[in-house]
Amino acid sequence: AQSVAQPEDQVNVAEGNPLTVKCTYSVSGNPYLFWYVQYPNRGLQFLLKYITGDNLVKGSYGFEAEFNKSQTSFHLKKPSALVSDSALYFCAVRPTGYSSASKIIFGSGTRLSIRP
Amino acid sequence: DAGVTQSPTHLIKTRGQHVTLRCSPISGHKSVSWYQQVLGQGPQFIFQYYEKEERGRGNFPDRFSARQFPNYSSELNVNALLLGDSALYLCASSYYRWGTSGSVGTDTQYFGPGTRLTVL
C-alpha cells in the first residue's frame, strides 16, 4: 500500500539551531514530493516540492528538503530555526501515473516547537 | 489574486442530517480536490474534479459526493451525517492538466482555510 511516514510526532528545537523533520515514503515509481505547513485553525500552506533534478530543494521561509531515492526519504531542514516556525508540518506524496495521480497522500504530521 | 476560498467557516449539524460545503478555486485553476482532516491526523483524499468530471476518488462511502460547476467552483455533499464525519474539510485547487495520452501535470495544490464540521 502507498504510504507516507513521519516518524516523529513532535520535534523540539532551540531558536537559532538547525532543524530536521523526517519523512519517508512507500510509493512505486517516481512520485512527486511535497511539504506543507499548517498553523492553528488554518489550511495548509505550500512550502516546497521535489519533481526531478537536484536532490536539494529550496522553498519558502528558508526551508529546504533533501530527497534521497535509495532511502525513499524527503527530510525537511532549516539551518536556523525561528520561534515563528512553530507549527504542524506535513509531508505529502503524489504518485505518478495516470490512474493514481489525482490524489495526494499525506503523512500524519509532525509538530515543530521552537523554544526561544 | 484571491486564494482558495471555502464556505462556511464553521458548521454544526446533528447525526443524520445533510451538509453542503463550498469551494472557489484560485482564478485560472480548473482542478479542485477535497480532503478530510480529522483532528490529529493528516488530510485524507476524498475527491478530485477537473473540467467538471470526477478524476479521482478516495476510500470514502457513497454518502460523500461532489460536483464541479462551469466556473470551476465545487460543492462537497455529505448525507446521513455520522459523529465520525466531524473534521476539517479542506479544498485545494491546482492548474492541473490531463493530456490525451494520459500524462499529467506537476502543479502544486493550494489549499483553502477549510470548513470545520462538527456533528453532534
Side-chain angles (χ1 to χ4, degrees), chain A residues 98, chain B residues 98-103:
Chain A
Y98 187 78
Chain B
W98 266 263
T100 54
S101 62
S103 61

Side-chain angles (χ1 to χ4, degrees), chain A residues 25-104:
Chain A
Y25 62 92
S26 176
V27 174
S28 59
N30 298 308
Y32 304 144
L33 304 165
F34 302 83
W35 275 101
Y36 286 86
V37 59
Q38 186 175 37
Y39 296 97
N41 300 315
R42 300 285 295 276
L44 276 66
Q45 295 180 29
F46 169 74
L47 279 180
L48 51 79
K49 67 181 178 183
Y50 173 83
I51 305 299
T52 186
D54 192 347
N55 289 343
L56 187 64
V57 179
K58 294 188 183 297
S60 305
Y61 313 119
F63 283 93
E64 56 190 27
E66 186 170 13
F67 169 65
N68 188 315
K69 186 172 184 177
S70 63
Q71 297 184 0
T72 61
S73 67
F74 190 54
H75 300 332
L76 181 69
K77 301 181 178 184
K78 188 173 183 180
S80 179
L82 299 173
V83 172
S84 58
D85 293 330
S86 298
L88 188 57
Y89 290 79
F90 289 97
C91 180
V93 171
R94 178 156 77 78
T96 55
Y98 187 78
S99 63
S100 60
S102 61
K103 67 178 180 181
I104 292 181

